[in-house]
Amino acid sequence: MAIGGTPEARHEDFRNPVAGRLQEVLLNARGAGDRVALLMVHTAAIDRVDAMYGFHAGDVLSASVVKLLQSKVLRRLDTIEVMSRDEFVCVLRPISSAGVAMLAAQRILSLLSVPVEFGERSAMADAAVGIAMFPEHGGDAEELLKNTKHALQSARVHRDHVYLYETRGASLEIDQLQYENRLRLALERNSLSLHFQPQLNPRTGRLKGAEALLRWNDEVLGQVPPNIAVQAAEVAGLIDRVTLWVLTSAVQRCADFGKICPGFSVSVNVSPSNLREADLSLYIDRALRTWGVNGRNLVVEITETAMMADQLKANEALRELKSHGVRLSIDDFGTGYSSMYYLAQLPLDELKIDLMFVKGMLEVSHHAKIVRSLIELAHSLDLEVVAEGVESEPIQMALQHLGCDYLQGYHIGKPVPAGELIKRLQRQETLPLV
Ligand code: C2E
Ligand code: MG
Ligand code: MG
């Protein structure tokens, strides 16, 4: 069967099921105007493990690598295809630039730079990654897979390397240092920025706070999504500097917002590695004093998964933060597997329901049931609840009906620079209370 060279070729036109599935992704991406990155990961260790311990051991290692990539690299819409026991393709969609795909590849290499556990044993994966981008490096699945493989072959010549497919022939080696340098430069030039997404109190009809979200628009790498920027900062050992910058800027803005709306709160996200940083609560304390902000107007968000990953450390860090009077929030709730017993022990103030459940709650009945029970659970633990992903009026109404305390989402307001939020708060102050 001839394989169509256009993206219009459909699923059934491909003999290889991976190419068929990928073609569907590309068709959808083209329709939405999205870019897609293919990251082909090869792990040379499988061969050695087969020879040393037998094929079953190789299978177990292969499954462990896939699990690691699924849990630590893939975002919500990303997928993974297993090409063979030692070759896997991560399909990242949407992705803003090749630079961001390279950061994800560096994240894979850094994850696989420590021994991977499989059963009772562990082994160095000995990985290499090849990257190709849609639509730049191939118009259909077959071509894109071929070119990703080509880039991978260049990468495998060296150990622990990433190569990006190059249309002019040879693939281009990626210099990880470039990314570290860009981030360092951004910190030095103060070119990172924060956007603020408002949160509504439906009982008063007023905005009660905002979440600070990191923005990194780099001249070379383009707009780097915040979760990728945070990953890059972690790989480069710069996460403490980034968080310190975010905290200081957010607290300073909180003082500005508070002048217009007394008691207005600002939420900041902290990453799991920040919790291991002994000075985190000192930074916060210093920022609060410098800008004269009351601790209860600062909310520190930690994702449920981060809390579960290192419970002891998280517990200790949260208690320390709590002693400075800040409020604590558990972010993306519902996606991890917290035990109720553990949750009840933590000094939390707020629970944020993951947007995945909220966005689809009017279409998917079990999502609505999950949202209802998360609101009940939070209230029974004396926690306030914020719903994220409120994208429409009917969703807002449904959440109000369920007794959700605060609402955040595109329908309430998209993340905007501080100046825009200030204007909105000033307009709000001229309106009567509902
Ligand atoms: P998050 O903390 O769960 O933030 C909410 C994300 O959902 C934001 O994406 C926001 O723009 C998006 N969002 C809000 N309302 C809606 C909606 O109605 N519909 C949809 N589809 N999306 C909505 P953003 O800004 O891309 O941030 C993504 C993640 O990056 C954040 O998730 C957070 O985990 C992380 N992040 C952002 N800033 C920082 C930071 O300063 N430090 C750390 N450690 N992580 C950060
Ligand atoms: Mg958050
Ligand atoms: Mg969230």
Side-chain angles (χ1 to χ4, degrees):
M1 190 199 301
I3 302 294
T6 68
E8 280 67 39
R10 302 226 47 113
H11 200 282
E12 311 79 56
D13 300 336
F14 290 88
R15 271 195 211 149
N16 176 336
V18 172
R21 281 192 294 274
L22 180 61
Q23 188 69 3
E24 288 292 331
V25 174
L26 300 184
L27 275 171
N28 290 333
R30 171 142 302 180
D34 287 342
R35 289 166 116 183
V36 180
L38 257 57
L39 272 61
M40 197 177 277
V41 184
H42 179 265
T43 47
I46 310 268
D47 231 14
R48 285 200 299 274
V49 166
D50 281 346
M52 241 187 306
Y53 306 113
F55 285 90
H56 175 67
D59 286 342
V60 178
L61 175 59
S62 172
S64 300
V65 172
V66 172
K67 220 163 132 199
L68 199 63
L69 296 175
Q70 276 169 330
S71 61
K72 297 275 165 54
V73 178
L74 301 193
R75 300 161 306 168
R76 213 166 279 153
L77 296 178
D78 301 339
T79 50
I80 187 163
E81 293 286 357
V82 177
M83 308 296 287
S84 62
R85 293 163 75 248
D86 57 4
E87 224 163 74
F88 321 101
V89 176
C90 299
V91 182
L92 311 188
R93 184 215 155 182
I95 193 123
S96 55
S97 64
V100 175
M102 290 169 209
L103 290 173
Q106 294 295 353
R107 161 102 177 137
I108 293 176
L109 289 187
S110 94
L111 269 172
L112 297 179
S113 67
V114 293
V116 178
E117 289 184 12
F118 63 107
E120 307 281 278
R121 303 189 169 95
S122 66
M124 292 301 288
D126 199 356
V129 186
I131 307 174
M133 301 290 296
F134 172 82
E136 297 89 324
H137 301 146
D140 74 2
E142 288 282 359
E143 194 189 358
L144 204 59
L145 281 168
K146 179 180 75 107
N147 290 342
T148 318
K149 179 89 185 183
H150 187 277
L152 176 64
Q153 276 165 348
S154 308
R156 283 189 60 190
V157 174
H158 310 273
R159 177 189 277 219
D160 286 344
H161 274 55
V162 177
Y163 272 72
L164 174 72
Y165 182 74
E166 249 280 310
T167 25
R168 281 183 296 277
S171 291
L172 184 76
E173 186 181 355
I174 305 313
D175 180 359
Q176 188 191 341
L177 273 178
Q178 190 191 358
Y179 299 95
E180 299 193 15
N181 290 342
R182 301 293 324 163
L183 189 57
R184 243 184 220 109
L185 213 61
L187 280 162
E188 274 156 26
R189 294 183 177 167
N190 207 8
S191 60
L192 295 175
S193 63
L194 283 182
H195 276 189
F196 294 86
Q197 185 173 35
Q199 296 174 336
L200 179 80
N201 178 347
R203 280 181 293 276
T204 61
R206 296 197 162 221
L207 301 182
K208 74 96 195 175
E211 178 174 6
L213 294 158
L214 181 66
R215 296 292 178 260
W216 177 18
N217 192 3
D218 187 82
E219 280 165 24
V220 176
L221 305 171
Q223 185 78 50
V224 184
N227 34 14
I228 302 279
V230 166
Q231 268 179 25
E234 273 171 354
V235 172
L238 292 169
I239 187 66
D240 291 339
R241 282 183 65 189
V242 171
T243 306
L244 177 60
W245 179 85
V246 169
L247 274 166
T248 316
S249 318
V251 170
Q252 183 180 356
R253 289 309 188 180
C254 187
D256 297 339
F257 302 143
K259 283 183 197 131
I260 308 166
C261 295
F264 195 85
S265 66
V266 169
S267 306
V268 288
N269 295 281
V270 305
S271 82
S273 42
N274 292 137
L275 293 180
R276 289 187 285 273
E277 165 62 54
D279 292 339
L280 180 68
S281 61
L282 287 179
Y283 291 157
I284 292 184
D285 193 49
R286 196 175 312 146
L288 291 172
R289 283 168 198 272
T290 307
W291 301 104
V293 171
N294 192 319
R296 65 167 185 272
N297 295 331
L298 179 69
V299 183
V300 172
E301 293 188 8
I302 299 147
T303 62
E304 184 192 10
T305 345
M307 265 190 224
M308 295 311 291
D310 192 346
Q311 300 190 4
L312 209 65
K313 198 75 220 167
N315 208 331
E316 229 175 81
L318 295 186
R319 285 180 196 287
E320 177 73 34
L321 289 174
K322 193 77 208 157
S323 69
H324 295 280
V326 301
R327 293 165 55 78
L328 300 175
S329 174
I330 181 162
D331 200 2
D332 300 345
F333 195 79
T335 52
Y337 302 93
S338 315
S339 93
M340 295 307 132
Y341 175 77
Y342 174 59
L343 254 191
Q345 317 281 308
L346 294 171
L348 297 169
D349 301 281
E350 180 184 280
L351 181 153
K352 288 186 92 169
I353 304 177
D354 191 74
L355 52 78
M356 181 175 81
F357 300 117
V358 176
K359 274 170 65 171
M361 65 181 280
L362 298 181
E363 286 87 43
V364 188
S365 72
H366 66 268
H367 281 189
K369 288 180 195 148
I370 291 172
V371 171
R372 176 196 296 269
S373 42
L374 290 180
I375 293 173
E376 281 167 11
L377 166 75
H379 286 162
S380 67
L381 293 174
D382 284 330
L383 303 178
E384 293 191 302
V385 198
V386 183
E388 290 191 275
V390 182
E391 290 189 347
S392 68
E393 178 77 20
I395 294 182
Q396 172 171 347
M397 290 302 154
L399 288 163
Q400 279 179 230
H401 182 69
L402 292 174
C404 186
D405 301 297
Y406 304 113
L407 311 174
Q408 181 181 341
Y410 294 165
H411 179 65
I412 311 299
K414 291 204 165 168
V416 288
E420 265 186 59
L421 183 60
I422 285 179
K423 282 190 202 137
R424 187 163 166 191
L425 294 180
Q426 283 163 338
R427 279 198 304 276
Q428 166 174 284
E429 288 312 296
T430 63
L431 298 173
L433 282 170
V434 289

